[in-house]
Amino acid sequence: MKVVYLIGNGFDLNLGLKTSYSDFYTYYLNIKNNDPQIAQLKEHLKHDKDNKGKYRYWSDLEIAMGEYTKKFSRREDMEKVYNDLNDNLRDYIMKIEQDHIQSGIDKDKLKRDLAHPEKYLREIFKEDFRLYVKKWETLTYETCIISFNYTNTIEAILNMKDTDIINIGQTIYKRDNLLHSIIHIHGLANAPFIGLNDASQIGNELFRDDIDVQDFLLKPKINEAVGHLNDRRSLEYISQAGMIYLFGVSLGETDNLWWEAVGERLKRDCRIIYFVYNPDEHPRPNVLTRIRRKYKDFLLSKTKLTLEEKQAAFDRIFIVHNSNMFNLKKKQE
């Protein structure tokens, strides 16, 4: 059976890394640059943040950047500002990645969590999970991680090279669970990229059909230009997955391609465990069902499924709320 993880920034935040957009926001605004157009972008971001409150997600930056294209009349100026933003992101992530993450990190727990995320389900849902995966009880699991992060923290913790295949444990039916690949669909620290999902998110209508603008603003176009087939490989994995796990992802609009692909897979024989985290939610037993329903509806709202298809897919989604999944810091003695 093919198993797919879609892992976002919540993973790195669990490690204590300052990889949130708000962290980069502070860093970027403090970098001096005499170019007036770059200074105007920073003022726009600052003003936007003041209006919206605290930034939470990288998609906030990407959406703001798409809207800011309205300020440009020349493609060259737009690309210059974009390159400055992206270059500073590269410098910031490379600095963050140099921070120590190995000390006090529980490698074995990472493997256990990857091999058995179902352990965080409530007992009744564990039973549903077991009944579903029983059809693959004699098979080895082939696991792929699709990472939305610029860091290689998972590889570093597992000491995993590009071509490595790692046995991360056994399935509940005592078969091998092999981690085959980790795909970074937004690039790595030395060559990260931020961008939009599609041309409709380019705020300046004059540039929406400009192929050159699309080449540096749209994530699918950037992946295509890099030529590493990451998009194609990831979509293929998702289309064949029997289990999909979502962790640390905000389901932002600038990554709609992936949520829509997950939705397509839900039309067929697939189950999802969606790990959600909201420290402001402390659910009482009488509201647990309501909370699960809210997050299922939120995930399904990001797909292109019809109402009838969403209703059919609803019970194929398991919600895990505020769990200990991927909390890898070892307790101090």
Side-chain angles (χ1 to χ4, degrees):
M1 178 174 73
K2 282 187 168 58
V3 174
V4 172
Y5 278 89
L6 279 72
I7 291 181
N9 192 42
F11 183 90
D12 284 349
L13 294 177
N14 272 357
L15 298 178
L17 297 182
K18 294 184 179 298
T19 54
S20 69
Y21 170 39
S22 59
D23 293 320
F24 172 68
Y25 171 91
T26 302
Y27 167 85
Y28 183 58
L29 264 60
N30 286 327
I31 294 175
K32 297 188 182 302
N33 191 303
N34 294 325
D35 188 292
Q37 291 178 322
I38 293 173
Q40 287 174 14
L41 170 65
K42 293 182 179 182
E43 282 301 312
H44 172 77
L45 293 175
K46 182 178 179 180
H47 176 72
D48 196 39
K49 180 176 187 288
D50 289 341
N51 285 338
K52 292 175 61 177
K54 183 180 178 181
Y55 277 128
R56 296 183 64 190
Y57 306 120
W58 285 100
S59 57
D60 292 331
L61 170 61
E62 293 170 327
I63 289 295
M65 184 179 64
E67 282 297 306
Y68 192 72
T69 60
K70 295 176 181 178
K71 302 289 185 180
F72 296 100
S73 58
R74 294 186 345 125
R75 180 183 67 242
E76 294 80 6
D77 295 332
M78 188 191 305
E79 189 167 11
K80 174 184 65 177
V81 172
Y82 169 82
N83 286 340
D84 179 77
L85 185 64
N86 216 58
D87 290 348
N88 280 289
L89 173 62
R90 176 198 62 211
D91 295 343
Y92 179 75
I93 296 296
M94 290 185 73
K95 176 181 178 297
I96 290 299
E97 202 170 49
Q98 291 172 3
D99 292 349
H100 66 283
I101 63 166
Q102 295 287 7
S103 177
I105 298 299
D106 192 337
K107 173 181 176 180
D108 291 333
K109 185 177 187 300
L110 173 56
K111 287 185 174 182
R112 291 195 300 271
D113 282 356
L114 285 171
H116 291 289
E118 77 282 353
K119 68 185 177 185
Y120 293 104
L121 293 170
R122 301 279 176 145
E123 289 303 318
I124 188 172
F125 301 123
K126 284 182 184 176
E127 184 60 26
D128 291 343
F129 177 91
R130 285 177 175 274
L131 289 173
Y132 169 70
V133 299
K134 186 173 175 57
K135 68 189 76 176
W136 294 290
E137 63 180 313
T138 63
L139 300 180
T140 296
Y141 286 10
E142 180 181 331
T143 297
C144 168
I145 295 174
I146 299 171
S147 175
F148 292 75
N149 300 333
Y150 307 114
T151 61
N152 65 350
T153 48
I154 301 176
E155 295 95 324
I157 295 169
L158 295 176
N159 193 27
M160 183 176 180
K161 308 303 180 186
D162 288 344
T163 58
D164 285 352
I165 296 177
I166 294 179
N167 192 334
I168 55 176
Q170 291 191 320
T171 72
I172 60 176
Y173 294 107
K174 308 304 180 185
R175 300 291 176 174
D176 287 340
N177 191 333
L178 304 178
L179 176 58
H180 277 247
S181 57
I182 302 175
I183 303 173
H184 291 268
I185 56 172
H186 292 165
L188 279 166
N190 62 342
F193 55 84
I194 53 179
L196 307 173
N197 186 76
D198 54 70
S200 70
Q201 295 175 346
I202 299 174
N204 191 328
E205 294 181 10
L206 297 176
F207 289 109
R208 282 181 186 163
D209 295 326
D210 188 316
I211 296 175
D212 290 332
V213 170
Q214 292 181 6
D215 282 345
F216 68 82
L217 274 185
L218 303 188
K219 293 177 184 176
K221 293 281 189 179
I222 300 170
N223 267 321
E224 182 180 323
V226 174
H228 47 35
L229 296 178
N230 281 353
D231 273 19
R232 192 180 304 175
R233 290 172 58 211
S234 298
L235 290 170
E236 183 178 348
Y237 267 109
I238 292 172
S239 71
Q240 299 174 0
M243 284 299 309
I244 296 175
Y245 304 108
L246 305 178
F247 181 88
V249 292
S250 65
L251 304 187
E253 294 178 15
T254 53
D255 284 309
N256 282 342
L257 170 70
W258 305 105
W259 323 137
E260 291 166 7
V262 168
E264 283 299 306
R265 184 57 187 152
L266 273 173
K267 291 180 181 180
R268 297 178 293 279
D269 197 17
C270 180
R271 296 294 184 274
I272 288 176
I273 299 183
Y274 176 21
F275 290 85
V276 298
Y277 176 72
N278 187 338
D280 297 326
E281 285 181 337
H282 303 284
R284 297 179 177 89
N286 59 306
V287 298
L288 281 173
T289 299
R290 189 188 315 162
I291 286 175
R292 294 188 190 108
R293 182 167 58 247
K294 176 182 75 172
Y295 286 111
K296 287 186 182 187
D297 287 340
F298 179 57
L299 173 57
L300 290 169
S301 74
K302 298 295 182 175
T303 71
K304 287 187 174 181
L305 300 181
T306 66
L307 178 59
E308 183 178 355
E309 288 168 339
K310 288 177 182 178
Q311 291 172 341
F314 190 85
D315 289 333
R316 298 172 190 158
I317 302 170
F318 301 102
I319 301 297
V320 176
H321 185 270
N322 291 354
S323 73
N324 196 40
M325 179 76 164
F326 293 146
N327 285 339
L328 305 179
K329 290 186 177 180
K330 292 180 179 177
K331 294 181 180 180
Q332 298 296 324
E333 296 281 336

